[in-house]
Amino acid sequence: MKFTKAYSLKEIADLLKCEFVGDESFEVLGMNEIHVVEKGDIVFVDHPKYYDKALNSAATIVLINKKVDCPDGKALLISDDPFRDFNKLTNYFKPFQYSTVAISSTAVIGEGTIIQPNSFVGNGVVIGKNCLIHSNVAIYDNTIIGDNVIIHAGTVLGADAFYYKKRPEGFDQLLSGGRVVIQNNVGIGALCTIDKGVTGDTTIGEGTKIDNQVHVGHDTVIGKKCLIASQTGIAGCVIIEDEVTLWGQVGTTSGITIGEKAVVLGQTGVTKSVTGGKTYFGTPIQESRESLKQMANIKKIPEIMDKLNNKEALH
């Protein structure tokens, strides 16, 4: 998430009412999660296990719960609760705006686009030319949709990220200030849910086709001309490269990459990153030939046991 203007380190510290380390005029340009940070961004960290990752990331401002040595060229914001204060920043720079109409007056809708009854189009949404949005689709604020996109009934674009911190009193949600970006010529089936990024974009690449009842988690990036079949669940921060095929009921863990032109067969659990150009099956995931060979061998176990038992009986 980039701010509309540059802020100073002191201005951000004053907003959070926290101590800072660094030049008070140090430039702050935005805030982002660890996997998408750039120079000028704030990143938060609240566990010693991840201090080094945050301090050595591309982010130049680290919101942290302990005063540590500050790397050269960076600044620190010292907070007793970085998670809470990251939410404060999201609320300040990207507050929730309620709507009182079905299609916001700030939405931009391209020529030839059809929006069927009972759909919702939020604030700041941009929809390209010649799209077809079927009934009961919910398009949350700031979603970007390209040209020639078809979205079927009941789909939700831009729901919050499934991202929580466990507290003694329950779960505290990390607020989502990101977007969903749907590129040209994408098709999305009925009853799909595509969550917005925490601070960045959840992106569906040009020409990708998504079947009914598919879930795409926050900050996931899906490449061009992918095919994703029904009841697939894709976790947050996943990278799916171009021309990947995911068949029905595939599930993935977060933070992994599926390589270009990979094919993942139905009901596979993608438990790790996999290279492109191969076919995969099973949980944990492996190349389909190996997985099917193992399944065939397992079926032979009763026959092998019978032979062993017969040999023992002869002795």
Side-chain angles (χ1 to χ4, degrees):
M1 181 199 305
K2 297 301 180 186
F3 302 151
T4 54
K5 69 180 185 73
Y7 288 80
S8 71
L9 181 66
K10 186 176 186 305
E11 286 177 308
I12 299 297
D14 288 346
L15 179 64
L16 298 177
K17 297 180 173 57
C18 74
E19 185 182 353
F20 64 89
V21 175
D23 185 340
E24 66 176 33
S25 61
F26 193 93
E27 193 172 61
V28 184
L29 302 177
M31 53 185 286
N32 269 311
E33 260 217 299
I34 187 74
H35 61 285
V36 290
V37 287
E38 300 174 341
K39 183 179 179 181
D41 284 344
I42 301 168
V43 68
F44 86 92
V45 62
D46 57 5
H47 194 290
K49 181 179 177 181
Y50 303 110
Y51 283 177
D52 285 345
K53 184 177 181 181
L55 292 165
N56 295 319
S57 72
T60 43
I61 305 95
V62 181
L63 177 61
I64 191 169
N65 59 340
K66 182 182 179 182
K67 188 178 283 189
V68 296
D69 292 337
C70 183
D72 291 342
K74 299 195 177 188
L76 304 179
L77 293 161
I78 313 300
S79 165
D80 64 327
D81 192 334
F83 189 99
R84 176 203 66 209
D85 283 345
F86 202 74
N87 275 346
K88 278 186 183 178
L89 293 175
T90 300
N91 257 331
Y92 183 83
F93 290 107
K94 193 66 78 70
F96 174 73
Q97 294 178 283
Y98 70 89
S99 185
T100 58
V101 293
I103 298 178
S104 171
S105 61
T106 61
V108 177
I109 299 170
E111 182 181 356
T113 286
I114 296 169
I115 300 176
Q116 294 282 74
N118 299 321
S119 285
F120 170 76
V121 179
N123 302 299
V125 168
V126 176
I127 303 176
K129 299 177 181 178
N130 302 316
C131 296
L132 175 55
I133 313 298
H134 285 278
S135 60
N136 301 306
V137 170
I139 303 174
Y140 286 30
D141 291 3
N142 304 308
T143 296
I144 307 295
I145 298 173
D147 299 335
N148 308 309
V149 171
I150 298 173
I151 303 174
H152 285 277
T155 283
V156 176
L157 305 182
D160 286 344
F162 189 71
Y163 194 138
Y164 294 87
K165 182 179 180 65
K166 191 173 184 179
R167 307 279 196 185
E169 62 275 14
F171 293 101
D172 193 2
Q173 183 177 21
L174 187 65
L175 301 181
S176 299
R179 307 183 301 177
V180 169
V181 176
I182 309 294
Q183 296 180 356
N184 297 341
N185 304 310
V186 168
I188 301 175
L191 299 174
C192 294
T193 52
I194 301 175
D195 293 345
K196 62 187 169 186
V198 171
T199 53
D201 294 338
T202 302
T203 304
I204 312 298
E206 183 173 355
T208 285
K209 308 299 181 184
I210 297 177
D211 197 2
N212 303 325
Q213 297 180 334
V214 169
H215 171 73
V216 179
H218 69 90
D219 295 286
T220 281
V221 176
I222 298 175
K224 298 177 181 179
K225 294 191 289 184
C226 294
L227 286 175
I228 301 174
S230 179
Q231 297 182 8
T232 288
I234 301 168
C237 307
V238 171
I239 297 173
I240 297 176
E241 296 182 349
D242 295 348
E243 298 184 50
V244 167
T245 299
L246 304 180
W247 291 119
Q249 296 186 335
V250 166
T252 82
T253 191
S254 62
I256 53 111
T257 297
I258 301 176
E260 184 176 354
K261 296 184 179 179
V263 176
V264 182
L265 300 180
Q267 296 193 327
T268 291
V270 187
T271 52
K272 62 182 179 180
S273 294
V274 293
T275 57
K278 298 178 181 178
T279 300
Y280 298 93
F281 177 63
T283 304
I285 191 170
Q286 55 188 328
E287 284 194 61
S288 60
R289 287 175 299 177
E290 183 62 29
S291 183
L292 293 170
K293 188 191 302 181
Q294 289 175 7
M295 291 174 67
N297 288 336
I298 288 170
K299 288 181 179 179
K300 293 178 182 178
I301 290 175
E303 179 186 343
I304 293 168
M305 293 299 296
D306 285 343
K307 287 180 179 179
L308 291 173
N309 290 334
N310 287 338
K311 283 183 180 180
E312 287 179 5
L314 290 173
H315 291 294

